[in-house]
Amino acid sequence: MSASRKVGYLWDTLYGWVDTGSGGFTPANPEAGLQPIGHHVAHADTKRRFHEAVQVSPLRKELTVLEAEYATKDDILRVHSASMVDSIEVQSRSDKGGDAGDGATPFGKGGYDIARLAAGGVKHAVRAVLQGEVDTAYALINPPGHHAERNSGMGFCLFNNCSVAAAYAREELGVKRVAIVDWDVHHGNGTQDIWWDNPDVLTISLHQNKCYPAESGYREHNGGGEGVGTALNIPLPPGSGNTVYESAVRDVVVPALEKFQPELIIVASGFDASVMDPLARQMVTQKGFKAMTQMVLDAADNICDGNIVFAQEGGYSPYYLPVCGLGVLEVLTGVETGFGDPFGALFSTQGVDDYFDHQKHEVAEAAKLVDNVPAPESISVS
Ligand code: 3YP
Ligand code: ZN
Protein backbone atom coordinates (compact mmCIF):
# COMPACT_ATOMS: atom_id res chain seq x y z
CA MET A 1 0.00 0.00 0.00
CA SER A 2 1.15 3.48 -0.59
CA ALA A 3 -0.38 6.82 0.22
CA SER A 4 -2.58 8.41 -2.42
CA ARG A 5 -1.39 11.83 -1.33
CA LYS A 6 1.63 13.19 0.46
CA VAL A 7 0.43 13.90 4.00
CA GLY A 8 2.48 16.03 6.40
CA TYR A 9 2.32 15.04 10.06
CA LEU A 10 3.55 17.06 12.98
CA TRP A 11 4.02 16.33 16.68
CA ASP A 12 6.59 17.58 19.17
CA THR A 13 7.63 15.94 22.44
CA LEU A 14 6.92 19.23 24.21
CA TYR A 15 3.24 18.99 23.20
CA GLY A 16 3.18 16.03 25.56
CA TRP A 17 4.73 18.18 28.30
CA VAL A 18 1.82 20.60 28.57
CA ASP A 19 1.25 20.76 32.33
CA THR A 20 -2.40 21.25 33.22
CA GLY A 21 -1.64 20.72 36.90
CA SER A 22 -2.83 18.27 39.50
CA GLY A 23 -6.43 19.43 39.70
CA GLY A 24 -9.05 17.39 37.87
CA PHE A 25 -10.49 20.46 36.18
CA THR A 26 -9.82 23.56 38.27
CA PRO A 27 -6.89 23.54 40.76
CA ALA A 28 -7.22 21.16 43.69
CA ASN A 29 -8.71 22.79 46.79
CA PRO A 30 -9.32 20.91 50.06
CA GLU A 31 -11.68 23.63 51.31
CA ALA A 32 -13.90 22.89 48.33
CA GLY A 33 -13.35 19.14 48.51
CA LEU A 34 -11.49 19.19 45.20
CA GLN A 35 -8.92 16.40 45.34
CA PRO A 36 -5.73 16.42 43.31
CA ILE A 37 -5.51 13.68 40.69
CA GLY A 38 -2.78 12.28 38.49
CA HIS A 39 -4.60 13.20 35.29
CA HIS A 40 -6.30 16.53 34.72
CA VAL A 41 -9.17 15.96 32.28
CA ALA A 42 -7.03 17.66 29.60
CA HIS A 43 -3.82 15.77 30.43
CA ALA A 44 -1.43 15.75 27.48
CA ASP A 45 -1.16 11.94 27.54
CA THR A 46 -4.40 11.62 25.58
CA LYS A 47 -2.81 13.31 22.58
CA ARG A 48 0.55 11.60 23.11
CA ARG A 49 -1.29 8.28 22.87
CA PHE A 50 -2.59 9.32 19.45
CA HIS A 51 0.98 10.06 18.38
CA GLU A 52 2.20 6.69 19.69
CA ALA A 53 -0.62 4.85 17.95
CA VAL A 54 0.51 6.47 14.72
CA GLN A 55 4.07 5.34 15.38
CA VAL A 56 3.14 1.66 15.72
CA SER A 57 0.81 1.77 12.72
CA PRO A 58 1.63 1.33 9.04
CA LEU A 59 0.87 5.05 8.65
CA ARG A 60 4.25 5.86 10.19
CA LYS A 61 6.05 5.26 6.92
CA GLU A 62 3.33 6.88 4.83
CA LEU A 63 3.48 10.26 6.57
CA THR A 64 5.93 13.06 5.90
CA VAL A 65 7.23 14.33 9.21
CA LEU A 66 7.08 18.11 9.61
CA GLU A 67 9.05 19.82 12.38
CA ALA A 68 7.23 21.97 14.89
CA GLU A 69 8.48 25.55 15.03
CA TYR A 70 7.89 28.40 17.45
CA ALA A 71 5.43 31.04 16.34
CA THR A 72 7.02 34.40 17.05
CA LYS A 73 5.44 36.94 19.34
CA ASP A 74 4.60 38.97 16.23
CA ASP A 75 2.81 35.96 14.73
CA ILE A 76 0.69 35.72 17.88
CA LEU A 77 0.05 39.47 17.96
CA ARG A 78 -1.70 39.27 14.57
CA VAL A 79 -4.70 37.79 16.36
CA HIS A 80 -4.24 38.54 20.09
CA SER A 81 -3.87 41.72 22.11
CA ALA A 82 -0.49 42.66 23.54
CA SER A 83 -1.87 42.71 27.10
CA MET A 84 -3.12 39.14 26.77
CA VAL A 85 0.12 37.82 25.27
CA ASP A 86 2.21 39.69 27.85
CA SER A 87 0.15 38.29 30.70
CA ILE A 88 0.80 34.72 29.57
CA GLU A 89 4.48 35.41 28.87
CA VAL A 90 5.07 36.92 32.32
CA GLN A 91 3.21 34.18 34.23
CA SER A 92 5.06 31.56 32.21
CA ARG A 93 8.34 32.69 33.81
CA SER A 94 7.05 31.79 37.26
CA ASP A 95 8.03 28.37 38.62
CA LYS A 96 4.37 27.60 39.18
CA GLY A 97 3.18 28.82 35.80
CA GLY A 98 -0.21 30.52 35.69
CA ASP A 99 -3.62 30.68 34.04
CA ALA A 100 -4.51 32.08 30.63
CA GLY A 101 -7.59 33.96 31.75
CA ASP A 102 -10.58 32.07 33.13
CA GLY A 103 -9.20 30.06 36.07
CA ALA A 104 -9.67 26.86 34.03
CA THR A 105 -6.76 27.28 31.64
CA PRO A 106 -3.73 26.36 33.71
CA PHE A 107 -0.22 26.18 32.31
CA GLY A 108 3.13 25.32 33.82
CA LYS A 109 6.47 27.08 33.70
CA GLY A 110 7.35 27.64 30.04
CA GLY A 111 3.75 27.23 28.99
CA TYR A 112 4.05 30.36 26.86
CA ASP A 113 6.72 28.71 24.75
CA ILE A 114 4.83 25.44 24.29
CA ALA A 115 1.76 27.45 23.28
CA ARG A 116 3.89 29.26 20.68
CA LEU A 117 5.14 25.86 19.52
CA ALA A 118 1.54 24.72 19.03
CA ALA A 119 0.62 27.79 16.99
CA GLY A 120 3.89 27.47 15.08
CA GLY A 121 3.08 23.84 14.30
CA VAL A 122 -0.04 24.90 12.44
CA LYS A 123 1.93 27.69 10.78
CA HIS A 124 4.41 25.17 9.43
CA ALA A 125 1.69 22.78 8.31
CA VAL A 126 -0.05 25.60 6.42
CA ARG A 127 3.20 26.70 4.78
CA ALA A 128 4.09 23.14 3.79
CA VAL A 129 0.70 22.69 2.10
CA LEU A 130 0.55 26.07 0.38
CA GLN A 131 4.11 25.77 -0.90
CA GLY A 132 3.55 22.24 -2.17
CA GLU A 133 5.98 20.48 0.16
CA VAL A 134 3.07 18.17 1.02
CA ASP A 135 -0.48 17.79 -0.33
CA THR A 136 -2.23 18.08 3.03
CA ALA A 137 -1.19 17.94 6.68
CA TYR A 138 -2.27 16.98 10.19
CA ALA A 139 -0.72 19.05 12.98
CA LEU A 140 -1.14 17.06 16.20
CA ILE A 141 -0.56 20.04 18.46
CA ASN A 142 -1.17 20.80 22.13
CA PRO A 143 -2.37 22.96 23.87
CA PRO A 144 -5.55 23.55 21.84
CA GLY A 145 -6.64 26.98 20.63
CA HIS A 146 -10.21 27.53 19.47
CA HIS A 147 -11.58 29.11 22.68
CA ALA A 148 -8.80 31.71 22.88
CA GLU A 149 -10.30 35.08 22.01
CA ARG A 150 -8.43 38.18 20.93
CA ASN A 151 -8.13 39.41 24.53
CA SER A 152 -8.10 36.25 26.65
CA GLY A 153 -7.32 32.58 26.80
CA MET A 154 -10.01 30.23 28.12
CA GLY A 155 -11.20 26.62 28.09
CA PHE A 156 -7.71 25.04 28.08
CA CYS A 157 -6.68 27.29 25.14
CA LEU A 158 -3.82 29.81 25.33
CA PHE A 159 -3.37 31.07 21.77
CA ASN A 160 -5.76 30.52 18.88
CA ASN A 161 -3.52 28.23 16.84
CA CYS A 162 -5.70 27.99 13.73
CA SER A 163 -6.18 31.75 13.66
CA VAL A 164 -2.46 32.43 14.06
CA ALA A 165 -1.86 30.18 11.04
CA ALA A 166 -4.70 31.74 9.03
CA ALA A 167 -3.37 35.25 9.67
CA TYR A 168 0.13 34.09 8.73
CA ALA A 169 -1.15 32.60 5.48
CA ARG A 170 -3.01 35.81 4.67
CA GLU A 171 -0.17 38.15 5.48
CA GLU A 172 2.89 36.14 4.43
CA LEU A 173 1.79 33.51 1.92
CA GLY A 174 -0.42 35.49 -0.44
CA VAL A 175 -3.70 33.85 0.51
CA LYS A 176 -6.74 36.03 1.06
CA ARG A 177 -9.78 33.84 1.69
CA VAL A 178 -9.53 31.25 4.45
CA ALA A 179 -12.21 29.01 5.94
CA ILE A 180 -11.85 27.47 9.39
CA VAL A 181 -14.08 24.42 9.90
CA ASP A 182 -14.29 23.50 13.59
CA TRP A 183 -15.71 20.07 14.48
CA ASP A 184 -14.57 20.12 18.07
CA VAL A 185 -17.73 19.48 20.12
CA HIS A 186 -17.43 22.85 21.87
CA HIS A 187 -18.14 26.17 20.21
CA GLY A 188 -15.15 27.79 18.51
CA ASN A 189 -15.90 31.10 20.20
CA GLY A 190 -12.34 32.40 20.06
CA THR A 191 -12.01 31.85 16.33
CA GLN A 192 -15.40 33.48 15.81
CA ASP A 193 -14.38 36.45 17.98
CA ILE A 194 -11.12 37.02 16.13
CA TRP A 195 -12.67 36.98 12.64
CA TRP A 196 -16.18 38.26 13.52
CA ASP A 197 -16.21 41.25 11.20
CA ASN A 198 -13.69 40.02 8.63
CA PRO A 199 -15.35 39.18 5.28
CA ASP A 200 -12.34 37.15 4.08
CA VAL A 201 -12.31 34.52 6.82
CA LEU A 202 -15.27 32.16 7.12
CA THR A 203 -15.55 30.46 10.51
CA ILE A 204 -17.81 27.41 10.75
CA SER A 205 -18.38 25.69 14.07
CA LEU A 206 -20.26 22.44 14.57
CA HIS A 207 -20.87 21.96 18.27
CA GLN A 208 -23.14 20.48 20.88
CA ASN A 209 -25.86 23.01 21.62
CA LYS A 210 -25.44 24.78 24.98
CA CYS A 211 -22.34 22.80 25.94
CA TYR A 212 -19.46 25.28 26.28
CA PRO A 213 -18.95 28.20 26.54
CA ALA A 214 -22.24 29.39 28.02
CA GLU A 215 -24.55 31.45 25.79
CA SER A 216 -22.25 30.89 22.82
CA GLY A 217 -22.52 29.50 19.31
CA TYR A 218 -26.16 30.26 18.51
CA ARG A 219 -27.18 30.18 14.84
CA GLU A 220 -28.29 33.78 15.16
CA HIS A 221 -24.65 34.77 15.79
CA ASN A 222 -23.67 35.17 12.17
CA GLY A 223 -20.84 37.70 12.00
CA GLY A 224 -20.90 41.49 12.13
CA GLY A 225 -19.95 44.62 10.23
CA GLU A 226 -18.25 43.78 6.95
CA GLY A 227 -18.29 40.12 7.98
CA VAL A 228 -22.04 39.50 8.21
CA GLY A 229 -22.66 35.90 7.15
CA THR A 230 -19.06 34.77 7.66
CA ALA A 231 -19.52 33.35 11.16
CA LEU A 232 -21.56 30.19 10.77
CA ASN A 233 -22.79 28.25 13.79
CA ILE A 234 -24.25 24.75 13.64
CA PRO A 235 -25.45 23.80 17.12
CA LEU A 236 -26.47 20.13 17.33
CA PRO A 237 -28.59 18.49 20.04
CA PRO A 238 -26.93 16.32 22.70
CA GLY A 239 -26.93 12.69 21.58
CA SER A 240 -26.00 13.48 17.98
CA GLY A 241 -23.95 10.79 16.26
CA ASN A 242 -22.47 9.95 12.90
CA THR A 243 -25.46 10.60 10.67
CA VAL A 244 -26.22 13.94 12.28
CA TYR A 245 -22.64 15.15 11.92
CA GLU A 246 -22.27 13.76 8.40
CA SER A 247 -25.54 15.44 7.37
CA ALA A 248 -24.43 18.74 8.85
CA VAL A 249 -21.17 18.58 6.91
CA ARG A 250 -22.91 17.52 3.69
CA ASP A 251 -25.86 19.95 3.90
CA VAL A 252 -24.25 22.98 5.56
CA VAL A 253 -20.44 22.93 5.73
CA VAL A 254 -19.71 21.81 2.17
CA PRO A 255 -22.29 24.15 0.54
CA ALA A 256 -20.95 27.04 2.63
CA LEU A 257 -17.40 26.27 1.52
CA GLU A 258 -18.48 25.98 -2.12
CA LYS A 259 -20.15 29.36 -1.91
CA PHE A 260 -17.31 31.11 -0.08
CA GLN A 261 -14.55 29.67 -2.29
CA PRO A 262 -11.65 29.78 0.20
CA GLU A 263 -8.09 29.35 -1.01
CA LEU A 264 -7.24 27.45 2.16
CA ILE A 265 -9.31 25.36 4.58
CA ILE A 266 -8.15 24.77 8.15
CA VAL A 267 -9.99 22.10 10.15
CA ALA A 268 -10.04 22.59 13.92
CA SER A 269 -10.06 18.87 14.59
CA GLY A 270 -11.30 18.03 18.07
CA PHE A 271 -12.38 14.49 18.90
CA ASP A 272 -14.59 15.38 21.84
CA ALA A 273 -17.78 14.79 19.84
CA SER A 274 -16.87 11.12 20.21
CA VAL A 275 -19.14 8.64 21.94
CA MET A 276 -16.57 8.11 24.71
CA ASP A 277 -15.74 11.71 25.56
CA PRO A 278 -16.22 12.86 29.16
CA LEU A 279 -16.73 16.58 28.35
CA ALA A 280 -19.71 16.36 26.01
CA ARG A 281 -22.65 14.11 25.16
CA GLN A 282 -22.33 13.32 21.47
CA MET A 283 -22.03 9.91 19.80
CA VAL A 284 -19.63 10.18 16.88
CA THR A 285 -17.47 7.11 16.25
CA GLN A 286 -14.36 6.61 14.14
CA LYS A 287 -16.66 5.97 11.19
CA GLY A 288 -18.20 9.45 11.51
CA PHE A 289 -14.83 11.19 11.77
CA LYS A 290 -13.67 9.31 8.68
CA ALA A 291 -16.77 10.31 6.74
CA MET A 292 -16.44 13.98 7.73
CA THR A 293 -12.78 13.92 6.76
CA GLN A 294 -13.59 12.49 3.33
CA MET A 295 -16.21 15.15 2.74
CA VAL A 296 -14.03 18.15 3.63
CA LEU A 297 -11.12 16.63 1.70
CA ASP A 298 -13.29 16.25 -1.40
CA ALA A 299 -14.52 19.82 -0.93
CA ALA A 300 -10.92 21.06 -0.72
CA ASP A 301 -10.06 19.16 -3.90
CA ASN A 302 -13.01 20.80 -5.69
CA ILE A 303 -12.55 24.30 -4.30
CA CYS A 304 -8.90 24.99 -3.53
CA ASP A 305 -6.64 22.41 -5.11
CA GLY A 306 -6.74 20.26 -1.96
CA ASN A 307 -5.28 22.98 0.26
CA ILE A 308 -6.52 21.74 3.62
CA VAL A 309 -4.74 21.52 6.96
CA PHE A 310 -5.96 19.76 10.09
CA ALA A 311 -5.01 21.09 13.52
CA GLN A 312 -5.74 19.21 16.73
CA GLU A 313 -8.18 20.79 19.20
CA GLY A 314 -9.86 19.01 22.13
CA GLY A 315 -10.65 15.39 22.93
CA TYR A 316 -10.44 13.78 26.36
CA SER A 317 -10.90 10.06 25.99
CA PRO A 318 -7.47 8.44 26.26
CA TYR A 319 -9.15 5.24 25.06
CA TYR A 320 -10.88 6.51 21.98
CA LEU A 321 -9.16 9.68 20.79
CA PRO A 322 -6.28 7.70 19.20
CA VAL A 323 -8.81 5.54 17.33
CA CYS A 324 -10.63 8.58 15.93
CA GLY A 325 -7.34 10.27 15.07
CA LEU A 326 -6.06 7.24 13.18
CA GLY A 327 -9.32 7.21 11.24
CA VAL A 328 -8.73 10.77 10.03
CA LEU A 329 -5.17 9.93 9.00
CA GLU A 330 -6.39 6.80 7.18
CA VAL A 331 -8.64 8.94 5.03
CA LEU A 332 -5.98 11.57 4.38
CA THR A 333 -3.39 9.00 3.33
CA GLY A 334 -5.79 6.57 1.68
CA VAL A 335 -4.06 3.83 3.67
CA GLU A 336 -5.81 1.68 6.27
CA THR A 337 -3.95 0.81 9.48
CA GLY A 338 -5.57 -2.59 9.64
CA PHE A 339 -6.53 -1.79 13.25
CA GLY A 340 -10.10 -0.83 12.39
CA ASP A 341 -12.18 0.47 15.29
CA PRO A 342 -11.73 -1.82 18.30
CA PHE A 343 -14.80 -0.22 19.92
CA GLY A 344 -16.88 -0.19 16.73
CA ALA A 345 -18.88 -3.33 17.39
CA LEU A 346 -19.74 -2.19 20.91
CA PHE A 347 -21.04 1.22 19.89
CA SER A 348 -22.67 0.24 16.60
CA THR A 349 -25.75 -1.04 18.43
CA GLN A 350 -26.08 2.01 20.67
CA GLY A 351 -27.75 4.39 18.22
CA VAL A 352 -24.63 6.12 16.92
CA ASP A 353 -26.16 6.27 13.41
CA ASP A 354 -29.64 7.45 14.41
CA TYR A 355 -31.02 10.59 12.82
CA PHE A 356 -34.11 11.86 14.60
CA ASP A 357 -36.54 14.57 13.55
CA HIS A 358 -35.34 17.04 16.16
CA GLN A 359 -31.78 16.61 14.85
CA LYS A 360 -32.89 16.93 11.20
CA HIS A 361 -34.63 20.15 12.16
CA GLU A 362 -31.45 21.68 13.57
CA VAL A 363 -29.44 20.73 10.49
CA ALA A 364 -32.14 22.14 8.19
CA GLU A 365 -32.22 25.41 10.14
CA ALA A 366 -28.43 25.71 9.95
CA ALA A 367 -28.53 25.03 6.19
CA LYS A 368 -30.49 28.27 5.76
CA LEU A 369 -27.37 30.16 6.86
CA VAL A 370 -25.62 29.20 3.62
CA ASP A 371 -27.70 31.92 1.95
CA ASN A 372 -25.89 34.53 4.05
CA VAL A 373 -22.38 33.31 3.16
CA PRO A 374 -20.84 35.82 0.77
CA ALA A 375 -19.55 34.58 -2.59
CA PRO A 376 -16.27 36.12 -3.78
CA GLU A 377 -18.03 38.35 -6.36
CA SER A 378 -20.34 39.91 -3.81
CA ILE A 379 -17.35 40.97 -1.74
CA SER A 380 -15.34 42.53 -4.54
CA VAL A 381 -18.30 44.65 -5.67
CA SER A 382 -18.94 47.14 -2.90
C1 3YP B 1 -13.19 23.75 29.01
C2 3YP B 1 -13.83 24.07 30.31
C3 3YP B 1 -15.11 23.28 30.38
C4 3YP B 1 -15.25 22.55 29.09
C5 3YP B 1 -13.88 22.51 28.53
C6 3YP B 1 -13.92 22.40 27.05
C7 3YP B 1 -12.54 22.29 26.49
C8 3YP B 1 -12.58 21.93 25.05
O1 3YP B 1 -12.38 20.83 24.62
N1 3YP B 1 -12.89 22.85 24.19
O2 3YP B 1 -12.94 22.58 22.89
ZN1 ZN C 1 -13.69 20.80 22.82
Side-chain angles (χ1 to χ4, degrees):
M1 261 188 307
S2 124
S4 50
R5 45 184 109 205
K6 190 170 177 187
V7 181
Y9 170 81
L10 186 149
W11 163 262
D12 192 282
T13 301
L14 288 179
Y15 297 155
W17 289 29
V18 166
D19 185 359
T20 42
S22 56
F25 173 49
T26 51
N29 177 2
E31 286 177 26
L34 288 171
Q35 305 166 53
I37 190 167
H39 275 58
H40 182 279
V41 69
H43 196 285
D45 275 3
T46 301
K47 287 159 187 171
R48 184 180 53 72
R49 287 166 59 84
F50 176 11
H51 171 67
E52 294 193 357
V54 173
Q55 297 315 301
V56 302
S57 82
L59 298 180
R60 179 181 186 163
K61 65 179 195 318
E62 305 289 346
L63 296 165
T64 301
V65 171
L66 301 174
E67 288 269 316
E69 65 188 36
Y70 289 94
T72 65
K73 191 169 192 176
D74 284 342
D75 288 326
I76 307 289
L77 287 170
R78 289 197 182 101
V79 301
H80 290 294
S81 64
S83 60
M84 179 267 210
V85 179
D86 288 344
S87 158
I88 292 173
E89 183 179 17
V90 168
Q91 293 181 71
S92 173
R93 288 188 204 121
S94 150
D95 283 347
K96 291 176 182 167
D99 186 279
D102 62 349
T105 308
F107 57 86
K109 184 175 176 64
Y112 169 70
D113 299 305
I114 306 182
R116 285 193 301 113
L117 194 62
V122 190
K123 249 187 86 182
H124 187 180
V126 161
R127 185 174 65 245
V129 167
L130 288 177
Q131 296 187 342
E133 187 186 331
V134 294
D135 296 320
T136 181
Y138 197 102
L140 176 49
I141 54 165
N142 195 42
H146 73 150
H147 294 310
E149 301 186 340
R150 189 168 287 278
N151 296 317
S152 181
M154 66 180 281
F156 313 154
C157 300
L158 280 69
F159 301 135
N160 198 301
N161 306 308
C162 291
S163 295
V164 168
Y168 166 73
R170 282 162 44 76
E171 291 180 33
E172 308 254 358
L173 302 176
V175 161
K176 187 174 177 213
R177 297 166 72 78
V178 180
I180 301 175
V181 176
D182 185 336
W183 68 44
D184 184 286
V185 78
H186 304 101
H187 177 229
N189 61 292
T191 316
Q192 171 178 286
D193 170 68
I194 287 166
W195 304 106
W196 180 252
D197 53 13
N198 189 312
D200 296 320
V201 178
L202 173 67
T203 63
I204 306 177
S205 178
L206 301 116
H207 45 269
Q208 180 180 319
N209 189 34
K210 296 199 275 186
C211 185
Y212 179 85
E215 306 293 333
S216 193
Y218 297 127
R219 279 194 300 271
E220 294 72 20
H221 301 173
N222 200 202
E226 298 278 293
V228 169
T230 64
L232 207 157
N233 285 299
I234 313 173
L236 299 168
S240 295
N242 297 327
T243 311
V244 185
Y245 271 79
E246 289 168 34
S247 300
V249 173
R250 185 188 62 237
D251 297 348
V252 191
V253 176
V254 171
L257 292 172
E258 282 171 348
K259 190 159 179 212
F260 187 73
Q261 291 288 310
E263 300 155 78
L264 167 69
I265 299 169
I266 301 175
V267 177
S269 174
F271 294 116
D272 40 15
S274 94
V275 64
M276 286 190 84
D277 200 275
L279 285 187
R281 291 295 177 271
Q282 301 298 47
M283 302 185 78
V284 180
T285 66
Q286 185 198 55
K287 183 175 88 165
F289 286 106
K290 291 182 77 164
M292 290 197 290
T293 302
Q294 190 66 60
M295 285 190 272
V296 294
L297 194 58
D298 290 344
D301 283 343
N302 292 331
I303 296 165
C304 51
D305 197 26
N307 287 337
I308 184 166
V309 168
F310 295 72
Q312 185 65 46
E313 292 285 354
Y316 308 97
S317 171
Y319 309 100
Y320 202 50
L321 181 140
V323 175
C324 297
L326 285 174
V328 170
L329 293 178
E330 285 178 333
V331 174
L332 296 183
T333 56
V335 173
E336 295 291 313
T337 59
F339 301 162
D341 179 353
F343 295 91
L346 174 67
F347 295 129
S348 65
T349 56
Q350 297 184 2
V352 296
D353 294 319
D354 288 348
Y355 195 21
F356 296 110
D357 285 345
H358 70 289
Q359 296 162 329
K360 290 179 187 168
H361 174 77
E362 301 303 317
V363 172
E365 287 298 313
K368 296 178 183 168
L369 296 171
V370 176
D371 286 342
N372 303 346
V373 174
E377 298 77 35
S378 70
I379 283 175
S380 52
V381 209
S382 62

